[in-house]
Amino acid sequence: MKTWLPVIAGVALAGSAAVANANEIVVGGKNFTEQQLIASMTSQYLDNLGYDVEKRAGMGSAVLRQAQENGQIDLYWEYTGTSLINYNDVTESLSPEETYQRVKELDAEKGLVWLEPSAANNTYALAMRADSIEETGISTLSELAQAVNDGEELSFAMNAEFYAREDGWRPLQQAYDFRVGRADVKRMDSGLVYQALRDGQVEVGLVFATDGRIPAFDFQVLEDDQNFFPAYALTPVVHEDTLAENPELEAQMNALSALLDDDTMAQLNAQVDVDRETIEDVAHNFLVENELIEE
């Protein structure tokens, strides 16, 4: 898959004109907006640092993971909860830090190295409109549960999968000790949840924490203060052979990871999904604004 080329002297970090090396790096990505964005961002960033980059985005999650284990993909960004549950069959409840450490240890046995996680956590979440939060004073799931238990009339929207999942709506109510009647829960397609919440048809909606429609529609995510939802921290993962050949890659990717959080990814996703800007332009502009590449 790779033809390793001689390393050129000098380690290039953001803003440096030095070339790190001329090794080929194959960057992978999944087939939805956030993953397409982060794959483009990574490819442009590493290309600017002097790597010979090949991008393979738009892949299915399981196929992408297998390709990395097989050494066909050098680097891609994975979610901690996806590796924990889907690839390592761990179902126990863990904190975000414990989740990261567990997948780091388990995947090391498979030749994969987890670098520093970003603060972007693309997990399930419940959200409300900003004006509703200001009116009710609810900002956490515990406060939401208390409001329901105190008799406040709130309606909810969520997709049918989450409503029925064994780790979904029913266990969430059990964890936070509240109960919502079936008549107050509207089940619909995930995309329609955002519209229903925006249009005031419901007060609370199930969202994905880094979805671009959250800032675009002026929603606010309620804090999961009891850590019910699994952590899905967006993290660069590199094959151990690739990192051995390119040790400077760790610091370079960690510098990019440090710039990402929920609000940042939501805004970037919105530029693509709401404003209809191209993925390449959004990724490029972010890198320029953060001085990781030049205009």
Side-chain angles (χ1 to χ4, degrees):
M1 184 273 296
K2 311 179 187 72
T3 301
W4 299 115
L5 301 177
V7 175
I8 299 175
V11 174
L13 288 173
S16 172
V19 178
N21 58 53
N23 287 344
E24 181 186 75
I25 299 289
V26 181
V27 175
K30 303 184 187 185
N31 55 359
F32 54 92
T33 298
E34 180 165 283
Q35 281 279 316
Q36 297 271 10
L37 263 172
I38 201 69
S40 178
M41 195 183 298
T42 302
S43 299
Q44 293 184 49
Y45 174 48
L46 295 182
D47 179 75
N48 183 73
L49 290 173
Y51 294 92
D52 178 13
V53 180
E54 178 184 349
K55 184 179 68 172
R56 298 181 188 172
M59 302 176 69
S61 183
V63 172
L64 177 56
R65 166 70 178 216
Q66 191 60 53
Q68 189 179 44
E69 289 189 24
N70 293 341
Q72 298 166 299
I73 296 292
D74 295 301
L75 166 68
Y76 82 98
W77 296 68
E78 186 55 273
Y79 303 94
T80 51
T82 300
S83 178
L84 185 75
I85 298 169
N86 292 20
Y87 307 142
N88 288 294
D89 299 320
V90 178
T91 57
E92 64 183 293
S93 178
L94 300 173
S95 71
E97 295 77 15
E98 290 169 336
T99 299
Y100 171 73
Q101 291 299 331
R102 183 72 64 86
V103 298
K104 186 179 178 72
E105 294 168 3
L106 293 172
D107 283 349
E109 300 172 4
K110 304 169 186 176
L112 306 181
V113 181
W114 284 71
L115 304 182
E116 287 298 310
S118 73
N121 178 24
N122 194 8
T123 186
Y124 280 123
L126 295 184
M128 299 176 66
R129 295 185 306 281
D131 58 351
S132 295
I133 285 180
E134 183 176 356
E135 179 181 344
T136 62
I138 296 171
S139 62
T140 70
L141 292 183
S142 289
E143 291 170 348
L144 175 67
Q146 187 62 53
V148 171
N149 291 336
D150 287 345
E152 188 159 344
E153 294 185 3
L154 298 170
S155 56
F156 295 73
M158 63 194 65
N159 61 41
E161 178 187 356
F162 183 76
Y163 184 87
R165 283 172 65 114
E166 289 301 317
D167 58 349
W169 179 233
R170 182 174 51 80
L172 173 66
Q173 293 180 88
Q174 292 175 345
Y176 279 93
D177 193 23
F178 72 107
R179 179 69 179 173
V180 177
R182 294 186 57 163
D184 294 321
V185 181
K186 303 180 187 300
R187 283 164 281 178
M188 59 187 70
D189 179 79
S190 293
L192 296 178
V193 171
Y194 291 86
Q195 296 179 31
L197 184 58
R198 178 195 61 188
D199 296 342
Q201 298 172 12
V202 296
E203 284 77 41
V204 186
L206 179 74
V207 300
F208 294 95
T210 59
D211 194 292
R213 288 165 290 190
I214 293 174
F217 295 165
D218 201 22
F219 298 162
Q220 290 186 20
V221 170
L222 301 181
E223 179 188 351
D224 179 17
D225 50 313
Q226 294 186 29
N227 294 317
F228 171 79
F229 292 112
Y232 286 87
L234 181 62
T235 307
V237 182
V238 60
H239 197 282
E240 63 180 5
D241 292 344
T242 305
L243 192 58
E245 293 284 347
N246 303 274
E248 64 281 1
L249 191 61
E250 180 171 1
Q252 292 162 347
M253 292 305 303
N254 286 344
L256 178 55
S257 184
L259 297 174
L260 305 177
D261 57 24
D262 287 354
D263 289 342
T264 298
M265 288 310 307
Q267 290 166 9
L268 293 173
N269 289 332
Q271 289 174 37
V272 175
D273 290 334
V274 179
D275 301 334
R276 301 303 178 188
E277 299 179 37
T278 69
I279 286 171
E280 291 73 20
D281 285 349
V282 172
H284 175 80
N285 292 337
F286 176 82
L287 294 171
V288 170
E289 289 167 5
N290 288 278
E291 300 182 346
L292 291 182
I293 65 174
E294 297 181 357
E295 184 66 56

